[in-house]
Amino acid sequence: MWWLTRRDAFQGREIGRVDVALTGASAVTSPGVDRMPADGEYYLSPALARLVDATPAEQLADRFGGHRVGILGKDALPAPDSLVALVGRSPQAMRELPGAALVDRIASTSPDRCDDCVVGIKSNGTALILTVATGALVFPVLILIGTATRLTATQRERRFAAMRLVGATPRQVSVVSAVEAVAAAAAGVALGFLPHLALRAPVAGMSLSGDRFFTSDVTLTPLQVLAVALGVPLAAAVAARIALHRVRISPLGVSRRVTPKPPRAWRVVPLLAGLVELAAFLVWHPSSVEGQTRGYLSAFGLIMLGLVLSGPWLTGRAAALLARRTQRPATLIAVRRLADNPTAGFRAVSGLVLALLVMTATVGIIGTMTAERGLPEGGRQFDNVLSDELGSGYTPDGHFETAGRPAPPELLARLRSVPGVTGVLLVHPIGTVVPIDAGGEDRASQTADCRELADLQVFGRCAPGAATAYVPYIWAGARDYSATVWPTAPWTAEQVAALQVEKLVVGTDGSQAAVERARTTVDAAYPAVRQAITLAEGRNLSGGELKGYQQLANVVILATFPIAGCSLAVAAAAGLGERKRPFSLLRLTGVPLRMLRRVVLLESAVPLLAVSAVAVGVGLLAADLFLRSQLKYTLHPLDAGYWLAVAAGLAAALAAIGATLPLLRRITGPETARNE
């Protein structure tokens, strides 16, 4: 069969259109249909069918011709709201369409790459978005899991040590620990699947990557369910066995308190390695999307891992610096405890610091991309100008090629008769490049009728008395041409009208009816791979991938901070539980309760603020290196909203720590200081 994939648009939304023509008695069948459409028949996706039924025919349905014979099934659609049409045509009509090709099979999966993808975001682009977002989400979850495993760890170790003292063997203690961990993990897995089942439909209805999902897209396969059901309890058993290393060495070792070795400066190496890897991409950049995904994921993974590893060392350095500059009792107690065990001090705030790193890098990258790809200089006067590119352009070796088409005589009259159309401009190729100096352009490869330029207004005007003018090849609303006077061309209007047409521009008043009727008229006259769109629609469609990044950036930010908050709450509770005996002894020696509260706040505030400053700096540097190497952009300054969000997040973290302070009175009573 003949096959042609095309892009159309309606009310700013992209339509994927596939034109086919059968060449024999039998043919392969497309996913989502029982038979291929014959000439004059077409299938529509459910969302497009609803639009066609609710819209006058001259604005949408007339583009497809013939009559509808069915609705496309979900196997033919990337998303429930996708606008897709499968249109049957005659072989003769297909032969005349630029880009049409004979095919003998239909792919049922999205290609990893294509030479000229005309509709939607390339699957590799979406895969890169999802991969980076997944990496950003997994690390805070791992921090939460690691923090949660420390909850009541001291009590468990003492209980198992007591079992050793009454005769239990290390193997028996390990079995008891593993059974407890596996039972709890199995219960957690079972409970975890319940919200998964309940939330599938709401999550499928969210537009996380620009489109909603089918429910089947967010459904686990049996193999995935089995991997989770067996893998999580197994991992819990391994973690429980590792956690008992002190008890296995000696049951008395749990009661001994030995100052741990201070963290060394080597912990900063993974962080620096991740930054160096990003910097290396400025010199050598992977050519394939798979290589870019692996490279950037490993670099950001090293940076996140390095921040977690270097956090205790940075905490120790900050505590030592503060100890030399303070004489307040509460501050001295806090920084001495941090210097004694900076790993425990940083553990409580590690999740929040990591979330801050992720948010900083994400906001920096997305903010810069948005600014660089935002509204062009030309402004909103171009938004309602409909432009149809019919061919021509520069080849990679710098030569100019034209591929225009003749203008149907009745086309201009039909367009000008559409209510709301304010002007029509035909742009003709001249087959060469002429140097000019006008409107910020230095060369022209096209010419236009001065009367049509005057009708359209927004693309400049001719010199007084001129019939035709030289105009530049690229007109996308990137500059404000309204006051530009284009150089006079040496042809008459009649001579220019006899040339091929390579661009058709229609000015409208912006009304939906005018834009869509004009688009339908142009599409019928000039069927093309990329159909006519307004310049505003062009900007929105070209920013589809950027919107996907923005949506998933919001998901990452909204998900990492609650996860980090949970980590902080768990760590604060665990920290108070582990320190209740030292604090009760301090109270017995006369230390007031309010001083202990200041100690608890300072023990969390020092690592939080010190490492947060490093996280923000590293996040900005990583974002700048990514933008320079991948997109050739320079990081734009972050707006006030980001800094307010950071301040609010840090204030909320300190408030969460403060919420645990009332527990101090209850858990530091005299009875806690008793020897058991």
Side-chain angles (χ1 to χ4, degrees), residues 120-311:
I121 302 174
K122 295 181 181 180
S123 59
N124 272 340
T126 303
L128 182 60
I129 296 174
L130 294 173
T131 301
V132 174
T134 300
L137 287 172
V138 164
F139 267 85
V141 172
L142 293 177
I143 293 294
L144 173 59
I145 293 173
T147 303
T149 57
R150 297 292 305 170
L151 196 62
T152 70
T154 302
Q155 289 81 350
R156 289 200 309 271
E157 289 178 349
R158 288 180 175 176
R159 179 161 54 87
F160 291 141
M163 294 173 61
R164 288 289 314 279
L165 287 172
V166 298
T169 65
R171 182 182 180 86
Q172 289 172 327
V173 172
S174 297
V175 171
V176 171
S177 173
V179 170
E180 287 184 353
V182 169
V189 169
L191 293 175
F193 275 117
L194 295 179
H196 164 71
L197 295 174
L199 294 175
R200 277 188 306 170
V203 169
M206 297 178 182
S207 179
L208 302 182
S209 57
D211 290 299
R212 294 189 304 151
F213 298 96
F214 288 110
T215 304
S216 58
D217 293 335
V218 290
T219 301
L220 296 177
T221 65
L223 183 60
Q224 292 169 333
V225 172
L226 185 63
V228 172
L230 297 180
V232 172
L234 180 62
V238 173
R241 184 173 179 83
I242 294 174
L244 286 176
H245 68 282
R246 290 202 301 171
V247 179
R248 291 201 304 272
I249 293 173
S250 168
L252 298 178
V254 177
S255 298
R256 293 197 298 265
R257 290 292 179 262
V258 180
T259 300
K261 294 181 180 180
R264 304 290 185 181
W266 67 264
R267 288 172 170 264
V268 187
V269 171
L271 177 63
L272 297 177
L275 294 174
V276 169
E277 185 176 358
L278 284 179
F281 289 147
L282 294 171
V283 180
W284 176 84
H285 191 266
S287 58
S288 67
V289 176
E290 294 88 345
Q292 295 167 19
T293 301
R294 289 193 299 268
Y296 285 116
L297 188 60
S298 64
F300 280 101
L302 278 174
I303 290 172
M304 290 188 284
L305 178 63
L307 184 65
V308 174
L309 286 177
S310 62

Side-chain angles (χ1 to χ4, degrees), residues 29 34 85 93 145 205 251 336 431 445 500 606:
T29 303
D34 296 328
I145 293 173
R336 289 299 298 169
S445 57
Q500 299 280 85
V606 170

Side-chain angles (χ1 to χ4, degrees), residues 316-327 331-332 335-336 339:
R317 297 302 92 201
L321 179 64
L322 193 58
R324 292 194 294 265
R325 297 178 178 273
T326 185
Q327 295 180 350
T331 306
L332 283 172
V335 297
R336 289 299 298 169

